Amino acid sequence: MQRPEIVQQVIAWYDAHARDLPWRAVDATPWGVLVSEFMLQQTPVARVLEPWRQWMSRWPTPAALAGAEPGEAVRAWGRLGYPRRALRLHAAAQAIVSDHGGEVPSDPEALRALPGVGEYTAAAIASFAFGQRHAVLDTNVRRVLARLELGEAGPANSLTRAERERAQRWLPDDPATAARWAVAAMELGVQLCTATAPDCAACPVARHCRWLAAGRPAGTAPRRVQPYAGTDRQARGALLAVLRETDAAVARTRLLSAWRTDPEQAARALESLLADGLIRQPEPDEYAL
Ligand code: SF4
């Protein structure tokens, strides 16, 4: 397999077709990259763009966010979903201030020690923000490599050691080129090599692709996306939306009325928001961010 040649072709394609995203701009800071990675963990780019801009304008540095109340971070998280990420991002900002002098660390181990930063996010920040040489294995890159090299429709459900080793073999030796490859392979997976409708006719490396050569055999069905309507997640979102709209505390009955579908579910959502630290209970019958 001509890995170096494929890498160069994917990077050349990226240079011509990459989306213009603010956290990829030349003046984007490591903090901006870190914030984008938190927001993108479970939310698509289109929904992240505006909240990211507002967040960076309000809290342009880790110190700025660390100085705010956690409830303000939850409020500003808005409708991005999975709001515990806002609390983790706030905690990460505090750790950056207390342990790293207010500068996002470049060392992957130090990054991994931050709240909310796992293996993938640490590698992504080290690569995208600091130009280091790391395998950045999100679901898109994993799918691209599975198709190109293994001829399989997609990767296994969970990341395997063999997959990590394979990704290492794709990494160019030069850190700057490795970082370009990391973002370019991801973009290929997002734009062309999609899970359900890959556009192989437009793919710059189609002639190297084993999955295409094999006639694109079906893989195991992708995991079903968890439905949202009617779930506890939706109930929690409805209650949080009420608290985001006001600086004042809100009475329990008024808060629970935001989710009339199922009163028991509403009460359960309220308890879980409290347990997660996403809301406060300043008075026995009142709640606030
Ligand atoms: S040829 Fe198709 S399946 Fe293969 S890498 Fe390109 S887009 Fe993906």
Side-chain angles (χ1 to χ4, degrees), residues 144 147-148 188 192-193 198-200 203 205-206 209 211-212 216:
V144 168
R147 288 175 176 176
L148 274 173
L188 187 78
L192 297 182
C193 196
D199 185 0
C200 302
C203 179
V205 290
C209 180
W211 189 59
L212 179 61
R216 305 196 346 180

Side-chain angles (χ1 to χ4, degrees), residues 127-169:
S127 175
F128 301 157
F130 297 106
Q132 294 177 12
R133 182 180 181 275
H134 298 286
V136 184
L137 283 169
D138 81 335
T139 180
N140 295 296
V141 176
R142 296 177 64 210
R143 185 172 59 252
V144 168
L145 294 185
R147 288 175 176 176
L148 274 173
E149 182 166 334
L150 299 182
E152 295 176 357
N157 273 345
S158 51
L159 192 58
T160 63
R161 185 167 157 186
E163 213 179 332
R164 285 193 183 91
E165 290 170 355
R166 194 177 313 120
Q168 285 293 332
R169 290 196 289 275

Side-chain angles (χ1 to χ4, degrees), residues 3-289:
R3 290 197 196 93
E5 185 187 335
I6 297 172
V7 164
Q8 287 306 327
Q9 288 170 348
V10 171
I11 291 175
W13 170 85
Y14 175 81
D15 288 342
H17 296 92
R19 290 165 299 167
D20 184 16
L21 304 176
W23 47 86
R24 289 180 181 164
V26 286
D27 60 349
T29 61
W31 172 241
V33 173
L34 184 148
V35 171
S36 77
E37 288 299 332
F38 269 71
M39 291 184 170
L40 290 165
Q41 276 166 4
Q42 276 153 314
T43 311
V45 163
R47 283 181 51 209
V48 163
L49 281 169
E50 193 48 37
W52 182 89
R53 287 195 184 96
Q54 289 180 9
W55 192 282
M56 293 305 295
S57 143
R58 182 167 180 190
W59 295 307
T61 63
L65 178 60
E69 290 296 323
E72 284 309 300
V74 174
R75 192 189 307 279
W77 199 253
R79 298 189 170 275
L80 280 172
Y82 297 101
R84 272 179 288 185
R85 290 180 292 169
L87 287 182
R88 293 196 195 106
L89 181 50
H90 184 270
Q94 290 188 319
I96 291 168
V97 169
S98 61
D99 301 345
H100 302 286
E103 300 291 335
V104 175
S106 60
D107 173 49
E109 289 307 311
L111 284 164
R112 247 192 116 163
L114 296 174
V117 176
E119 176 184 352
Y120 160 77
T121 305
I125 297 167
S127 175
F128 301 157
F130 297 106
Q132 294 177 12
R133 182 180 181 275
H134 298 286
V136 184
L137 283 169
D138 81 335
T139 180
N140 295 296
V141 176
R142 296 177 64 210
R143 185 172 59 252
V144 168
L145 294 185
R147 288 175 176 176
L148 274 173
E149 182 166 334
L150 299 182
E152 295 176 357
N157 273 345
S158 51
L159 192 58
T160 63
R161 185 167 157 186
E163 213 179 332
R164 285 193 183 91
E165 290 170 355
R166 194 177 313 120
Q168 285 293 332
R169 290 196 289 275
W170 279 85
L171 276 182
D173 291 336
D174 165 49
T177 312
R180 300 286 292 159
W181 158 246
V183 71
M186 194 173 293
E187 190 76 353
L188 187 78
V190 171
Q191 287 199 39
L192 297 182
C193 196
T194 62
T196 53
D199 185 0
C200 302
C203 179
V205 290
R207 71 192 177 88
H208 301 286
C209 180
R210 288 181 172 159
W211 189 59
L212 179 61
R216 305 196 346 180
T220 50
R223 270 185 291 193
R224 288 186 56 200
V225 177
Q226 200 188 357
Y228 182 64
T231 61
D232 284 7
R233 270 187 63 217
Q234 191 181 20
R236 283 160 57 100
L239 268 55
L240 264 187
V242 172
L243 296 177
R244 273 202 307 269
E245 294 301 316
T246 173
D247 289 333
V250 175
R252 179 183 176 90
T253 44
R254 191 180 142 220
L255 194 53
L256 292 179
S257 71
W259 186 254
R260 296 179 193 275
T261 315
D262 178 345
E264 275 184 27
Q265 192 178 31
R268 196 164 65 233
L270 183 56
E271 290 308 315
S272 74
L273 288 170
L274 267 177
D276 287 346
L278 282 161
I279 63 176
R280 298 179 295 120
Q281 193 172 10
E283 299 291 337
D285 193 43
E286 291 189 341
Y287 300 86
L289 287 180

